[in-house]
Amino acid sequence: MTSLPLQGIRVVDFTWLIAGPLATKYLADYGAEVIRIESMRQVDRMRVAAPYKDKTPGINRSGFFNFFNANKYGLRLNLKNPAGLNLAKRLITTADIVIDNFRSGVMTKLGLGYESLKQVKPDIIAASLSPFGATGPYSHLAATGHQIAAGAGFVSLTGWPDRDTVPPYGPLPDFIAARYAASALLAAVSYRRKTGKGQFLDLSQFEASLTFLSPLLLDSALNHHVLTPRGNRAPNACPHGVYRCKGDDSWCAIAVSDDAEWNSFGRAIGSPGWTKKREFGTLSGRKQHEDEIDKLVEIWTTGLTAVAVMKRLQAAGVAAGAVKNQKEILEDPQLSHRHAFWRLNHPEIGPFSFLGGSFHLEKTPARPRMPAPCLGEHTEYVCREILHMSDDEFLSLMNQEVFD
Amino acid sequence: MNGMLDGLTALDLTDEKGCLCGSILATLGIRIIKVEKPGGSPERNIGPFSSNGPIRESLFWLAYNADKLGITLSIETPEGRRLFKKLVEKADFVIESFAPGYLDGLNLGYESLSKINPRIIVTSITHFGQTGPYRDFKGSDIVDQALGGYLFLTGDPDRPPLRVSQPQAFLHGALEATVATLIANSHRELTGVGQHVDVSIQESLVKLTDNTIPCWDLNGEILPRAGRQRVGRVARTSVTQLWRCKDGYLDFLLGGGPTYVKSNAALAAWLEKVGTDEFIKHLDWDKLDMARISQDTLQHLERCIGEAFASHTKAEIFGEALKSGIELLPAWTVAEIAQNDQLKSRQFFSEVEYSDNPRLKLRWPGTFIKSSECQLNNGHHAPSVGEHNRQVYGELLGLTERTLRSLSAKEVI
């Protein structure tokens, strides 16, 4: 088989939380050598976040951290120590990409802003995934993904019409920003292969997230129209929603998009009289009676498990999906078929399901090469194998507290 | 200035499941040729719509097909397939979102296309993937989110799981496909060989479940949906995430440890300034530990914070946060975002008079990234049906005007 797509690319990775680490995970999974720079002085928030193995905290025991960080190396380095900073720069002279997701200004303050990086390696590709971008009145702000979800309008778009809004779970902007960053980095690598030039990529997580709402931004400016939350309904489908099934907190999503699908739906559930009502035969008719139809659908679904509802409807060509919880996701047959998770042995927490390669490249599939690194796990490896450091130098740096 | 990926060409046969992918690649410099069936893509019927001007435009179509060239082609006809294969000879990428097996059935699958052009990268975006037990399942935004594990997590506990009202799933899949396509591109730069890229929207959504799958994996716990609360951060209980203000909501999450010290100090100072319990002054904020905090302390703290937030507006609170560093953000609406100072400063929006439809004055959003070196295309124009037939078929295949008229009469284009 041919070599991995990102063979020979080295990334010096200053990222934390999710947006940065997920971006570098794509690179690591496909062959780039990603070296995380970490310190005990300011531990990645993910390393001190639940869940912990056996509910016992520990900087290498967090499932949250481990899930997103397989295939990476870990170097422990005190960047506030001048010798530590020099070592980071030395590593950067051998690298292709430097990436961080701090708020704007942090890297510059550390002495690792783009201008400084260019002095060290003129063709370096540097990417900063900050909450609000490298410039502007908010650029100094710290904000996590779920906060940016609020700022970027996602919260205002989630809720039941008769109730207050709720936040969509988790840091949605992190997942959006990570992939944009990875895409831009890959494009920048291509550009440098052609031209020999590096560049600085300034990604605002706030701006990147707004691309998921572009049509609404256009609509708001043009028509002064604001989308208010509509529960699980959709303008061009009925029935469309999440229906209770047999079992505890068990649900199935159903989406009937046109009249042909409605007819299939009726037959799939045994053609009860109400599915043949003339006024339900068209989308507009169904929309007028949506409350009634939703109740009738749910009377049917509550008699079956979510998976049974899904299978019966899918067999008839109707879009339906069981609302899978976390256990069901790990056991999902399609995701297993896709190797969506990598079951690997981690030195401290033992067997653990790491997030896998996310998509399939048929000729060069992603491979799990190693679990997520313990903090500083590869400090010696990086120093000896990559920086060709002598034993004496390594000891000397250790005594200067560089590897703190 | 040059684009990062100048000189490459992609044939974009996607529908709403994948159109964002070509849009991003267009921003990065790739010439994207959107291939629609004669009469136009179904994406042109997706709302919201412009209500001004002689032509009703889909704002979804405009947003996700800008900077693409537009041609029409019926690959269902033998002549159309022949033309498509000729285009593939000149292309570097094919991006498609047909049902698994559809292109194979027309002899236009990866195997056939790679024989014509061994360099071709074919990116296929589907709900569940090219193979597997769900291969032939019918998907949709809400169904994909259900089977991707994300839908389970949002909403009030006493109501069904809830999705964001603006469909998201296909955008996540298309964005994932962009990364995948460029990884394959890197491989081709090293080896000269293309490949088939298989992207599943369901799989792309799994990572949105954040820390919840490890909660089950490590400790056998299913994290339930918790409305405006956040579970799993503090032992035995939940913490408030979305707080009411006088005129809306804001997102703020209590945290402990060194990375929260600055935010907590700023919050404490503000609480004291606006007037709060003595409790706040005596609390040792630096020792705050969410894994060990007592129920009483947490409740008291949340009550003090809640009262302060509830008696101020989003603008007042955010103004304070901007100055002092409290880590929070208001839940802004799309309308408020349009007036946002940060976006103004970054010149994010540009006022555009839409070329096809002069009375359409659009406020066009900016690109997802800024580059110090390269041009990023943001040309504010999505093609009308068959707009670039002459240009593309003429330049790439040397077809004459007469041939094009004949093909059009036969409904091949």
Side-chain angles (χ1 to χ4, degrees):
Chain A
M1 247 320 93
T2 52
S3 58
L4 287 174
L6 304 180
Q7 193 117 338
I9 293 175
R10 179 169 293 147
V11 181
V12 182
D13 179 355
F14 294 93
T15 67
W16 68 325
L17 300 175
I18 294 180
L22 181 60
T24 59
K25 178 180 154 56
Y26 287 113
L27 306 179
D29 286 349
Y30 287 89
E33 187 182 65
V34 173
I35 302 166
R36 287 179 54 88
I37 311 297
E38 298 188 80
S39 167
M40 281 306 292
R41 286 148 191 273
Q42 189 110 340
V43 177
D44 188 338
R45 265 189 204 172
M46 303 280 277
R47 285 189 179 275
V48 291
Y52 298 105
K53 170 79 173 173
D54 299 328
K55 300 197 179 178
T56 307
I59 54 168
N60 300 316
R61 303 177 66 80
S62 162
F64 206 170
F65 173 80
N66 286 316
F67 192 65
F68 288 103
N69 285 289
N71 281 340
K72 299 177 193 174
Y73 296 89
L75 169 62
R76 185 169 161 182
L77 207 54
N78 178 6
L79 295 170
K80 302 246 165 93
N81 179 324
L85 179 63
N86 277 339
L87 195 61
K89 288 184 172 177
R90 197 163 137 194
L91 184 61
I92 289 166
T93 60
T94 76
D96 302 280
I97 292 171
V98 171
I99 177 174
D100 78 277
N101 62 318
F102 300 122
R103 60 199 171 87
S104 174
V106 170
M107 286 293 269
T108 304
K109 204 162 145 208
L110 284 170
L112 293 168
Y114 181 55
E115 293 307 310
S116 305
L117 296 176
K118 266 199 298 191
Q119 311 263 327
V120 163
K121 190 160 200 281
D123 67 345
I124 194 74
I125 296 165
S128 243
L129 286 57
S130 56
F132 286 103
T135 57
Y138 298 5
S139 62
H140 64 285
L141 284 184
T144 52
H146 53 84
Q147 280 158 355
I148 295 169
F154 290 81
V155 172
S156 74
L157 295 168
T158 312
W160 300 100
D162 62 337
R163 282 191 177 185
D164 296 330
T165 56
V166 288
Y169 187 83
L172 284 177
D174 281 27
F175 305 105
I176 299 171
R179 297 161 177 144
Y180 276 125
S183 298
L185 284 169
L186 290 162
V189 166
S190 288
Y191 182 74
R192 195 180 63 187
R193 281 176 179 155
K194 258 185 346 207
T195 65
K197 293 187 186 166
Q199 61 189 284
F200 175 61
L201 296 165
D202 165 18
L203 187 143
S204 153
Q205 294 176 37
F206 181 51
E207 290 166 13
S209 304
L210 292 178
T211 64
F212 273 41
L213 303 181
S214 306
L216 300 186
L217 288 168
L218 291 172
D219 194 23
S220 165
L222 183 64
N223 300 319
H224 306 291
H225 175 246
V226 173
L227 181 63
T228 54
R230 44 191 179 199
N232 286 322
R233 291 196 168 165
N236 294 325
C238 180
H240 185 284
V242 179
Y243 301 90
R244 190 181 285 278
C245 299
K246 196 195 258 185
D248 182 37
D249 201 21
S250 190
W251 308 84
C252 191
I254 300 173
V256 173
S257 302
D258 56 38
D259 298 341
E261 204 170 358
W262 168 249
N263 293 329
S264 302
F265 175 81
R267 283 193 296 275
I269 71 169
S271 301
W274 63 270
T275 60
K276 295 189 271 224
K277 272 187 175 176
R278 179 102 55 90
E279 57 266 39
F280 292 175
T282 62
L283 177 66
S284 59
R286 288 194 293 282
K287 286 306 255 183
Q288 278 174 44
H289 296 94
E290 192 153 21
D291 288 347
E292 187 190 341
I293 289 175
D294 278 346
K295 287 199 179 79
L296 290 162
V297 170
E298 197 157 71
I299 290 171
W300 177 70
T301 59
T302 42
L304 295 166
T305 63
V307 170
V309 168
M310 174 176 79
K311 284 184 171 164
R312 179 95 68 94
L313 293 181
Q314 286 288 357
V318 176
V323 179
K324 299 235 170 185
N325 66 28
Q326 299 99 55
K327 169 182 189 287
E328 292 160 343
I329 285 296
L330 276 178
E331 296 169 358
D332 180 78
Q334 182 66 12
L335 293 173
S336 301
H337 175 82
R338 302 274 302 176
H339 303 294
F341 305 101
W342 292 331
R343 191 85 183 154
L344 305 172
N345 251 327
H346 181 278
E348 258 193 63
I349 66 173
F352 178 74
S353 293
F354 291 84
L355 182 65
S358 291
F359 35 75
H360 287 184
L361 266 57
E362 232 165 80
K363 290 196 179 130
T364 57
R367 288 263 172 270
R369 298 194 308 285
M370 26 185 213
C374 294
L375 202 153
E377 182 175 340
H378 304 98
T379 301
E380 263 200 69
Y381 168 82
V382 171
C383 288
R384 294 196 202 289
E385 304 302 319
I386 296 180
L387 297 175
H388 308 297
M389 209 180 275
S390 66
D391 288 351
D392 283 345
E393 192 188 354
F394 185 77
L395 276 167
S396 159
L397 288 172
M398 214 159 69
N399 291 333
Q400 290 173 63
E401 295 180 354
V402 158
F403 305 118
D404 260 14
Chain B
M1 262 212 263
N2 297 319
M4 284 184 238
L5 297 172
D6 279 354
L8 295 170
T9 298
L11 300 171
D12 179 352
L13 290 86
T14 61
D15 61 8
E16 59 175 325
K17 295 195 295 298
C19 50
L20 174 63
C21 178
S23 169
I24 298 166
L25 297 178
T27 300
L28 294 170
I30 297 180
R31 175 174 60 172
I32 308 290
I33 300 170
K34 180 89 177 191
V35 181
E36 299 178 71
K37 57 178 206 249
S41 164
E43 291 152 81
R44 294 176 182 272
N45 295 323
I46 298 174
F49 299 95
S50 71
S51 52
N52 302 337
I55 312 159
R56 189 185 84 145
E57 302 273 6
S58 155
L59 298 175
F60 177 92
W61 169 262
L62 294 190
Y64 297 126
N65 291 287
D67 293 294
K68 299 179 185 176
L69 300 172
I71 66 172
T72 49
L73 183 63
S74 170
I75 57 174
E76 280 76 24
T77 65
E79 180 99 45
R81 287 197 282 282
R82 199 182 57 81
L83 280 174
F84 183 71
K85 287 178 177 172
K86 288 216 160 303
L87 288 172
V88 168
E89 279 173 33
K90 313 276 175 144
D92 302 286
F93 305 93
V94 170
I95 315 163
E96 60 97 4
S97 57
F98 293 110
Y102 180 74
L103 285 181
D104 289 317
L106 295 173
N107 251 319
L108 296 177
Y110 176 72
E111 261 198 61
S112 310
L113 298 183
S114 61
K115 291 200 176 85
I116 299 166
N117 180 353
R119 288 179 42 83
I120 198 77
I121 290 168
V122 177
T123 298
S124 299
I125 305 165
T126 56
H127 295 287
F128 304 105
Q130 295 292 305
T131 58
Y134 297 177
R135 179 202 196 242
D136 298 320
F137 273 16
K138 195 136 186 256
S140 79
D141 178 72
I142 202 169
V143 164
D144 296 358
Q145 289 194 43
L147 290 168
Y150 184 65
L151 188 59
F152 181 79
L153 295 169
T154 298
D156 294 322
D158 65 333
R159 288 229 177 146
L162 192 57
R163 70 163 187 169
V164 177
S165 291
Q166 177 67 1
Q168 304 275 298
F170 302 165
L171 300 175
H172 285 285
L175 192 39
E176 199 92 336
T178 311
V179 180
T181 301
L182 292 177
I183 290 174
N185 186 52
S186 176
H187 177 252
R188 178 173 57 192
E189 285 175 350
L190 297 177
T191 64
V193 172
Q195 63 182 304
H196 192 193
V197 175
D198 172 5
V199 180
S200 151
I201 294 167
Q202 178 202 19
E203 189 179 3
S204 77
L205 294 169
V206 165
K207 57 177 67 67
L208 272 57
T209 57
D210 201 45
N211 70 332
T212 62
I213 291 171
C215 284
W216 167 259
D217 189 6
L218 289 181
N219 301 320
E221 284 175 342
I222 306 276
L223 286 206
R225 59 195 173 285
R228 282 182 294 287
Q229 305 288 105
R230 177 68 189 256
V231 287
R233 271 172 83 80
V234 184
R236 299 177 316 281
T237 188
S238 61
V239 281
T240 305
Q241 181 177 321
L242 202 67
W243 303 77
R244 235 183 234 104
C245 331
K246 224 174 184 175
D247 61 344
Y249 293 90
L250 63 80
D251 184 300
F252 168 79
L253 212 46
L254 266 171
T259 66
Y260 281 96
V261 163
K262 179 171 178 225
S263 176
N264 286 343
L267 175 67
W270 179 68
L271 290 173
E272 288 176 46
K273 184 169 95 176
V274 302
T276 188
D277 292 4
E278 279 296 300
F279 161 78
I280 292 293
K281 213 178 278 179
H282 300 305
L283 188 68
D284 190 343
W285 287 88
D286 288 356
K287 288 228 172 61
L288 204 59
D289 181 350
M290 299 313 284
R292 294 182 171 84
I293 192 171
S294 77
Q295 275 284 64
D296 282 346
T297 308
L298 181 62
Q299 272 174 17
H300 199 170
L301 199 42
E302 289 217 338
R303 189 170 48 73
C304 292
I305 294 170
E307 278 167 7
F309 285 157
S311 48
H312 293 82
T313 63
K314 289 187 295 197
E316 284 169 341
I317 301 167
F318 182 66
E320 177 67 29
L322 200 53
K323 274 191 336 241
S324 67
I326 309 171
E327 222 175 275
L328 59 81
L329 273 182
W332 286 315
T333 64
V334 166
E336 287 169 325
I337 288 163
Q339 302 306 319
N340 182 275
D341 286 336
Q342 175 70 357
L343 296 177
K344 277 202 190 117
S345 156
R346 303 251 301 164
Q347 299 178 308
F348 182 72
F349 290 106
S350 41
E351 306 292 332
V352 170
E353 199 169 271
Y354 197 67
S355 46
D356 273 4
N357 203 340
R359 271 178 279 159
L360 216 52
K361 286 188 172 29
L362 297 172
R363 203 141 178 272
W364 201 273
T367 54
F368 57 89
I369 206 159
K370 291 191 198 301
S371 162
S372 64
E373 168 73 24
C374 293
Q375 173 168 307
L376 294 156
N377 295 323
N378 194 23
H380 333 122
H381 179 86
S384 55
V385 180
E387 180 174 344
H388 302 101
N389 277 351
R390 203 170 288 130
Q391 179 185 329
V392 171
Y393 287 119
E395 268 177 37
L396 288 187
L397 302 187
L399 300 191
T400 61
E401 189 63 50
R402 206 166 116 215
T403 310
L404 290 179
R405 274 200 299 271
S406 156
L407 290 170
S408 177
K410 289 187 279 182
E411 289 179 3
V412 174
I413 67 169

